[in-house]
């Protein structure tokens, strides 16, 4: 099946999110800097962009910048006076992301703050229309709590990588990254103030998924 879904992904991408030189150059920069290739796929990046467009997002918060791919997709949805704040732990990642978002022509709308997200979040001023959580998975429950504090009624919160090859249902796996996802799901279940769903995804080599939460 893996071969088939890789082929299907390539066809969907070719039709719906065709290669862009500016993004390909960004991937090259990330490779040169020896950064992991774990960014959103173009199809998922586009979903982020379309969601942001659909809710008329003007302020977006991202946790986990890497090389700025999800950042760029979401920033493309912003109006001229819109703003995206992205939090990144690794200075090298933040530097490459800065080059990439500038090259993509969206840099003026993006502020990248460098440090552990949990140290930065108390300085961040809400409310945000969209929050994308995609950093160290063990802190997902904390990031979710912050996202709730920094959003308003109608805001969306999207959390990447909630399936992790299905590891979440294997009780013999106690890896904190996987446990972080389980604790996140529990926190959402106990949260009376939101509607939430999640989608499993296959893409290329990966079996993963995302959760989408709307604040009531
Ligand atoms: N959102 C990106 C991918 C992010 S990968 C995209 O789809 O294009 C996860 C990123 O989170 C990495 O760059 C990693 O350095 C960063 N990260 C890990 N722990 C962090 C922390 N405690 N605070 C902020 N960023 C963190
Ligand atoms: C990993 C992290 C991600 O954000 C992702 O989309 C895929 C993989 C990882 O840490 O392995
Ligand atoms: Mg991710």
């Amino acid at each position: 099946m893996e071969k088939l879904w890789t082929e299907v992904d390539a066809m969907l991408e070719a039709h719906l999110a065709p290669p862009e030189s500016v993004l390909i150059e960004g991937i090259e920069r990330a490779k040169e800097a020896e950064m992991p290739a774990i960014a959103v796929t173009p199809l998922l990046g586009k979903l982020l962009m379309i969601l942001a467009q659909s809710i008329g997002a003007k302020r977006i918060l991202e946790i986990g910048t890497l090389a700025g791919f999800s950042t760029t997709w979401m920033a493309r949805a912003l109006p001229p006076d819109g703003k995206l704040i992205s939090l990144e732990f690794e200075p090298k990642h933040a530097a490459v992301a800065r080059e990439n978002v500038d090259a993509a022509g969206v840099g003026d709308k993006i502020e990248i703050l460098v440090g552990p997200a949990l140290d930065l979040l108390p300085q961040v001023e809400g409310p945000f229309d969209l929050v994308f959580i995609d950093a160290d998975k063990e802190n997902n429950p904390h990031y979710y709590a912050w996202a709730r504090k920094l959003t308003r009624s109608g805001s969306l919160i999207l959390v990447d990588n909630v399936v992790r090859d299905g590891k979440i249902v294997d009780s013999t796996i106690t890896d904190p990254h996987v446990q972080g996802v389980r604790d996140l799901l529990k926190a959402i279940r106990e949260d009376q103030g939101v509607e939430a769903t999640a989608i499993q995804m296959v893409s290329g080599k990966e079996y993963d998924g995302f959760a989408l939460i709307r604040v009531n």
Side-chain angles (χ1 to χ4, degrees), residues 33-51:
E34 294 176 347
M35 291 162 65
I38 55 174
V40 291
T41 62
L43 291 168
L44 181 56
K46 256 191 129 166
L47 176 69
L48 288 168
M49 182 183 83
I50 291 169
L51 285 173

Side-chain angles (χ1 to χ4, degrees), residues 35-36 38-41 44 48 62-74 86-91 93-94 113-120 132-139 143 160-161:
M35 291 162 65
I38 55 174
V40 291
T41 62
L44 181 56
L48 288 168
E62 173 174 69
I63 306 177
T65 320
L66 193 64
F69 294 108
S70 49
T71 324
T72 295
W73 283 111
M74 292 189 289
S86 190
L87 313 181
E88 173 54 52
F89 175 68
E90 292 284 347
H93 294 184
L113 305 179
V114 182
L118 287 177
D119 290 353
L120 298 169
F132 180 47
I133 299 175
D134 191 20
D136 47 331
K137 314 308 175 191
E138 63 265 44
N139 278 319
Y143 296 149
D160 196 23
N161 311 115

Side-chain angles (χ1 to χ4, degrees), residues 15-185:
H15 285 77
L16 308 176
E20 294 177 64
S21 56
V22 72
L23 297 182
I24 293 164
E25 285 155 22
I27 293 169
E28 284 308 315
R29 274 186 214 101
K31 263 191 204 155
E32 271 165 41
E34 294 176 347
M35 291 162 65
I38 55 174
V40 291
T41 62
L43 291 168
L44 181 56
K46 256 191 129 166
L47 176 69
L48 288 168
M49 182 183 83
I50 291 169
L51 285 173
Q53 280 168 340
S54 302
I55 61 170
K58 281 193 152 188
R59 288 181 49 82
I60 299 174
L61 174 66
E62 173 174 69
I63 306 177
T65 320
L66 193 64
F69 294 108
S70 49
T71 324
T72 295
W73 283 111
M74 292 189 289
R76 284 174 167 177
L78 286 171
D81 61 339
K83 189 166 180 199
L84 188 158
I85 296 174
S86 190
L87 313 181
E88 173 54 52
F89 175 68
E90 292 284 347
K92 183 178 83 177
H93 294 184
V96 173
R98 172 48 65 194
E99 280 190 64
N100 284 349
V101 298
D102 286 348
V106 290
D108 55 330
K109 292 173 195 167
I110 294 167
E111 193 180 338
I112 302 172
L113 305 179
V114 182
L118 287 177
D119 290 353
L120 298 169
L121 281 160
Q123 301 150 226
V124 168
E125 218 179 301
F128 293 93
D129 308 304
L130 172 65
V131 179
F132 180 47
I133 299 175
D134 191 20
D136 47 331
K137 314 308 175 191
E138 63 265 44
N139 278 319
N140 272 344
H142 301 298
Y143 296 149
Y144 181 69
W146 272 106
R148 290 286 277 115
K149 271 184 219 155
L150 294 170
T151 47
R152 50 157 184 87
S153 170
S155 297
L156 298 181
I157 302 167
L158 198 141
V159 189
D160 196 23
N161 311 115
V162 299
V163 174
R164 317 243 68 183
D165 291 315
K167 290 190 181 101
I168 54 166
V169 298
D170 181 345
S171 56
T172 66
I173 298 176
T174 55
D175 176 348
H177 293 255
V178 175
Q179 196 52 45
V181 175
R182 294 186 188 120
D183 293 342
L184 167 78
L185 292 173

